[in-house]
Amino acid sequence: MSNLVELTAAFRRQYDRSPWFIARAPGRVNLIGEHTDYNEGFVFPAAITYDVAIAVAPRTDRRVYLASRQFRQDTWFSLNSIRKAVHRPWSNYIRGVAHILQETGHRLCGMDAVITGDVPVSSGLSSSAALEVASCLAFEAASGFRLDPVERAKLCQRAEVEFVGVKCGIMDQFISVLGRADHALFLDTRSLEYEPVPLPFSGLELVITHTNKPRGLAGSKYNERRSECEEAVAVLQQEIPGVQSLRDVTLEDLRRFRSKLSPLSYKRAHHVVSENERVLRSVQALKAGDIEHFGRLMYESHESLRDNYEVSCLELDTLVRVARSVPGVYGSRMTGAGFGGCTVSLVASDQVETFQRIVARRYLREARRRARFYVCQAAEGASIIRP
Ligand code: GLA
């Protein structure tokens, strides 16, 4: 959780007045269901106890002033002409949300804002979705309207796709808006129906481990994977009537039409189709209290992302391999888009310290980087706080 007392004090120093409210939105960890959301599949994320918080006071003009505590940078833009910023890229998530809100007919007023956050940036824990969702809430509260939560998530996703240019799915924004404390959310990204599933994790912790590897190519590789899935769909549509997306394809279909697909398309499609099945099975396992089964599915998911979807990297693979050898670890996998970022592991509470000690030592030796750990709980979605 961001330090709201510090944030309020920073706001007063910056603008010489008090904030009217604070909009906050959490990051997320995806337990399973990776690279399935833009294929209309299933995901199973939880919001986490790390967030982005924006202290806000409305203005009477059409200007939006932004000061980022994390980046130690300021910028501003006019709501009358919103352009992408080259030198303050973090502000594009906020500009993008304002742009889409206006495009969808919402009348916005200007604001003074100070932004802080403790979701590690570029880590696969959705600091950008948290920033979008917090900004959306900020514009809503400052301008005096309130969106339906699912609409808010959709709009923030559009900001990222249309303004920032990463063709992401709906998962990150959705969980940041609709997360529930002590629950993960089983989400059907086609119908947007969702079900909060209690995390019966007594005696267990979710441990996020950061590779500390910068995610250089993440954006372009992400869009490339998306096109590869579209290519596979185009081929399968010729063979199977009614296929709209990889959501409509089974493993049996893939085996039958394997020869029609290029080896690369087959691998990509195999990951997505099998990952959808794993999500369904893991939700069942969790409901039945079968943590061992859940953990095995996490490992399988990682292997599929590594071998078939090819979005893992040496650092993520090392973390998962090392975690697997530690007693009291039920499952571990990369989480988020990949190419760096974090893993998520399910660890027995009394083994968390041993886990951190062994993983840190072996990761340093084998990957020559320092791991960072975040032990976290499933948190509530975005909200407005009035100081
Ligand atoms: C990023 C995207 C999500 C999702 C994941 C991969 O976090 O923003 O929409 O596609 O990657 O599962």
Side-chain angles (χ1 to χ4, degrees):
M1 274 284 270
S2 304
N3 184 329
L4 303 187
V5 174
E6 250 176 53
L7 175 63
T8 307
F11 187 96
R12 288 207 187 95
R13 280 197 303 278
Q14 181 85 18
Y15 299 110
D16 209 16
R17 60 177 178 143
S18 295
W20 287 26
F21 61 85
I22 291 167
R24 56 155 295 278
R28 64 99 188 93
V29 63
N30 190 18
L31 301 184
I32 195 160
E34 218 66 81
H35 290 276
T36 46
D37 62 353
Y38 52 86
N39 291 298
E40 298 190 311
F42 305 113
V43 292
F44 196 39
I48 54 177
T49 40
Y50 295 86
D51 62 10
V52 167
I54 312 183
V56 177
R59 296 174 58 93
T60 46
D61 61 12
R62 305 259 302 147
R63 289 182 167 199
V64 176
Y65 283 86
L66 304 170
S68 163
R69 305 256 301 146
Q70 271 169 310
F71 292 97
R72 296 172 194 280
Q73 288 176 340
D74 301 353
T75 184
W76 72 276
F77 62 93
S78 163
L79 289 166
N80 296 334
S81 117
I82 305 180
R83 275 187 291 271
K84 247 175 125 164
V86 181
H87 298 298
R88 301 280 186 272
W90 52 269
S91 73
N92 287 329
Y93 299 101
I94 306 162
R95 292 166 194 258
V97 167
H99 171 76
I100 299 290
L101 276 168
Q102 295 198 131
E103 204 180 81
T104 45
H106 299 92
R107 170 125 197 102
L108 301 187
C109 74
M111 62 189 190
D112 290 335
V114 175
I115 304 147
T116 192
D118 59 0
V119 189
V121 171
S122 281
S123 61
L125 301 178
S126 295
S127 58
S128 37
L131 180 53
E132 288 154 6
V133 170
S135 333
C136 192
L137 269 182
F139 281 117
E140 290 175 51
S143 315
F145 64 93
R146 196 145 181 90
L147 295 172
D148 161 75
V150 174
E151 281 313 306
R152 182 178 304 132
K154 283 167 128 176
L155 217 135
C156 289
Q157 180 205 13
R158 273 188 65 190
E160 182 141 353
V161 173
E162 293 175 27
F163 195 85
V164 180
V166 175
K167 295 187 188 162
C168 65
I170 187 80
M171 167 170 72
D172 305 346
Q173 293 80 5
F174 201 95
I175 187 68
S176 185
V177 173
L178 286 133
R180 171 113 38 113
D182 302 322
H183 289 70
L185 215 68
F186 170 52
L187 169 66
D188 177 341
T189 64
R190 170 175 271 173
S191 66
L192 297 185
E193 277 171 44
Y194 63 96
E195 180 192 353
V197 181
L199 290 177
F201 281 174
S202 73
L204 284 176
E205 307 288 340
L206 280 178
V207 184
I208 294 170
T209 311
H210 198 312
T211 56
N212 258 323
K213 173 169 189 233
R215 290 189 315 157
L217 286 170
S220 58
K221 287 279 177 198
Y222 185 90
N223 287 348
E224 187 182 291
R225 288 297 173 280
R226 200 172 168 141
S227 322
E228 289 165 353
C229 290
E230 282 160 13
E231 274 164 43
V233 169
V235 172
L236 293 165
Q237 276 173 334
Q238 311 290 311
E239 312 296 331
I240 318 166
V243 166
Q244 303 286 328
S245 69
L246 288 175
R247 161 68 178 275
D248 303 311
V249 176
T250 62
L251 283 174
E252 176 52 34
D253 293 333
L254 278 185
R255 273 191 284 273
R256 246 178 92 204
F257 299 111
R258 183 171 186 160
S259 63
K260 309 274 178 193
L261 293 161
S262 70
L264 189 84
S265 286
Y266 177 79
K267 285 205 307 189
R268 302 299 190 247
H270 193 280
H271 165 71
V272 174
V273 174
S274 63
E275 186 79 349
N276 276 332
E277 285 197 359
R278 278 187 290 273
V279 178
L280 296 175
R281 281 191 279 144
S282 66
V283 173
Q284 289 310 319
L286 198 60
K287 285 182 176 169
D290 190 348
I291 304 296
E292 262 131 34
H293 188 195
F294 189 86
R296 279 198 302 279
L297 291 163
M298 289 175 83
Y299 288 126
E300 282 177 26
S301 165
H302 184 80
E303 283 155 17
S304 175
L305 288 156
R306 180 190 65 201
D307 302 336
N308 285 336
Y309 217 62
E310 297 179 279
V311 291
S312 187
C313 59
L314 174 107
E315 288 79 1
L316 288 166
D317 293 343
T318 307
L319 282 179
V320 170
R321 182 165 38 78
V322 173
R324 204 166 185 168
S325 71
V326 179
V329 175
Y330 288 86
S332 184
R333 56 182 289 278
M334 55 157 274
T335 187
F339 309 106
C342 294
T343 62
V344 55
S345 308
L346 207 51
V347 186
S349 305
D350 56 2
Q351 291 296 320
V352 168
E353 275 176 33
T354 316
F355 173 85
Q356 296 191 15
R357 203 181 52 246
I358 298 180
V359 172
R361 196 179 56 227
R362 285 193 44 198
Y363 182 63
L364 181 62
R365 200 169 62 214
E366 294 178 32
R368 306 208 164 277
R369 287 182 193 274
R370 281 188 197 285
R372 264 184 291 156
F373 299 93
Y374 303 85
V375 180
C376 65
Q377 278 79 46
E380 202 64 25
S383 59
I384 293 280
I385 300 164
R386 304 213 179 250

